[in-house]
């Protein structure tokens, strides 16, 4: 009976050691998996941050390009406006000169008409 108890005890002790080894191995595997998960989570965070930074740089570059294009268009429109204003000024000046010329012609015609009427009256009085 004592041999059986010793055998059972030693058998139980061997099983206990085997279970302890399996438990230690499982804990080690679990710890390794935990480290791998943490590493992957950090890599994912790094990739996410990098992607966000890349997107931000791309948006910033696009914004600068759009601002540059807008500035060029504004400059072009300002040049066109200035040109149109100059042309309008020239046209107004030409119109003022024509108006003055027509006024002088009208005054001259009116004076000639009055002179002709006076001569006609003089001739009529002489007759």
């Amino acid at each position: 009976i004592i041999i059986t108890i010793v055998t059972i005890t030693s058998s139980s002790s061997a099983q206990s050691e085997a279970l302890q080894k399996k438990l230690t191995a499982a804990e080690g595997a679990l710890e390794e998996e935990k480290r791998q998960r943490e590493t992957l989570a950090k890599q994912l965070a790094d990739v996410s941050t990098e992607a966000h930074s890349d997107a931000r740089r791309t948006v910033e570059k696009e914004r600068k390009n759009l601002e540059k294009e807008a500035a060029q268009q504004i400059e072009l429109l300002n040049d066109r406006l200035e040109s149109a204003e100059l042309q309008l000024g020239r046209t107004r000046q030409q119109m003022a000169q024509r108006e003055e010329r027509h006024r002088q012609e009208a005054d001259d015609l009116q004076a000639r008409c009055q002179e002709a009427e006076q001569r006609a009256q003089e001739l009529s009085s002489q007759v």
Side-chain angles (χ1 to χ4, degrees), residues 42-83:
K42 186 177 184 300
Q43 289 174 349
L44 180 61
D46 291 347
V47 167
S48 177
T49 301
E50 187 176 329
H52 187 70
S53 295
D54 286 348
R56 188 175 287 160
R57 280 191 295 272
T58 301
V59 167
E60 184 64 23
K61 190 183 290 184
E62 185 65 24
R63 184 187 61 79
K64 285 182 181 180
N65 287 338
L66 289 173
E67 284 178 353
K68 183 178 178 182
E69 288 176 15
Q72 290 171 344
Q73 289 177 352
I74 289 171
E75 185 177 341
L76 178 64
L77 290 173
N78 283 334
D79 290 347
R80 287 181 180 175
L81 178 61
E82 186 178 323
S83 176

Side-chain angles (χ1 to χ4, degrees), residues 4-28:
T4 308
I5 293 177
V6 171
T7 306
I8 293 175
T9 306
S10 68
S11 172
S12 210
S13 180
Q15 286 177 347
S16 182
E17 284 180 30
L19 286 175
Q20 188 64 35
K21 285 180 183 179
K22 285 182 182 181
L23 180 61
T24 303
E27 286 175 345

